[in-house]
C-alpha cells in the first residue's frame, strides 16, 4: 500500500514545480488492456491468496509479472520505463525462483510490525531457504510510520522509474535559450 501511495505522490510531484499533469494523458501506452490484466492478476492473487490453493495464487502472481513484463517491453522507449522494468524484473525473477512468493526478511517484517506467519499464499513472506534473498523485501518502513511495510531493491527501482517518468513527461516546460523582450 505504501508503495502505491509513494508512486502516486511521485507522479504528482512535478506539478508542485510548475509541471503539467495533463501531459500524462498524452502518453501513448502500448498494451493498456494487458497492463490492466497484469495488475488485476496481482490483486486477485494477493486478495484471494488464503481462499484458493497456494499453487493457484502463486501461478497468478507469477503470471502477472509475465504479462506486465510484456507491457514494459512494449513501452521501453518511454521515459523511466527501463528502470521500472529493471525493478519489475528483479522482483519477478525472485518471485518465480521462490515459487510465487517474494522472500521477506523476518527482521524487516518485525521492524515494520508485520506478522511473519500466515495461512495460505503470501506475496511476500519469510522463507526457509530463499533464493536471491537480497532481491527480496529486506528493507522496512518502521511500524510507527503510517502504512509501514517492507520493500525490495526492485521496489526502489520501480519508484525511481516512476519519478523519472513523471519528471520527464510532466516536468516544467523549458524556456528557449533566446528570449524576446
Amino acid at each position: 500500500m505504501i508503495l502505491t501511495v509513494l508512486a502516486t505522490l511521485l507522479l504528482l510531484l512535478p506539478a508542485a514545480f510548475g509541471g503539467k499533469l495533463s501531459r500524462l494523458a498524452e502518453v501513448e501506452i502500448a498494451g493498456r488492456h494487458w497492463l490492466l490484466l497484469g495488475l488485476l492478476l496481482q490483486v486477485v492473487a494477493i486478495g484471494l491468496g488464503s481462499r484458493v490453493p497456494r499453487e493457484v495464487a502463486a501461478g497468478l502472481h507469477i503470471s502477472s509479472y509475465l504479462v506486465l513484463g510484456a507491457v514494459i517491453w512494449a513501452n521501453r522507449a518511454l521515459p523511466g520505463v527501463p528502470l521500472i522494468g529493471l525493478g519489475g524484473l528483479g522482483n519477478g525473477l525472485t518471485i518465480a525462483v521462490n515459487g510465487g512468493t517474494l522472500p521477506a526478511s523476518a527482521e524487516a517484517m518485525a521492524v515494520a510490525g508485520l506478522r511473519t506467519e500466515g495461512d495460505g499464499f503470501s506475496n511476500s513472506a519469510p522463507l526457509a531457504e530463499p533464493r536471491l534473498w537480497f532481491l527480496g523485501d529486506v528493507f522496512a518502513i518502521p511500524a510507527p510510520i503510517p502504512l509501514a511495510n517492507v520493500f525490495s531493491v526492485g521496489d526502489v527501482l520501480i519508484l525511481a522509474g516512476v519519478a523519472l517518468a513523471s519528471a520527464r513527461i510532466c516536468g516544467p516546460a523549458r524556456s528557449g535559450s533566446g528570449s524576446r523582450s
Side-chain angles (χ1 to χ4, degrees), residues 44-46 48-63 94-104 118-128 131:
V44 169
I46 294 166
L48 294 179
S50 62
R51 295 183 204 111
V52 298
R54 186 195 184 298
E55 294 77 18
V56 171
L60 290 171
H61 196 212
I62 293 169
S63 297
T94 306
I95 287 166
V97 300
N98 285 288
T101 298
L102 187 66
D119 297 332
F121 173 79
S122 180
N123 66 309
S124 173
L127 301 176
R131 295 180 180 103

Side-chain angles (χ1 to χ4, degrees), residues 21-32:
L21 295 179
S22 61
R23 292 181 190 149
L24 287 173
E26 299 168 9
V27 176
E28 291 292 326
I29 298 174
R32 277 181 246 144

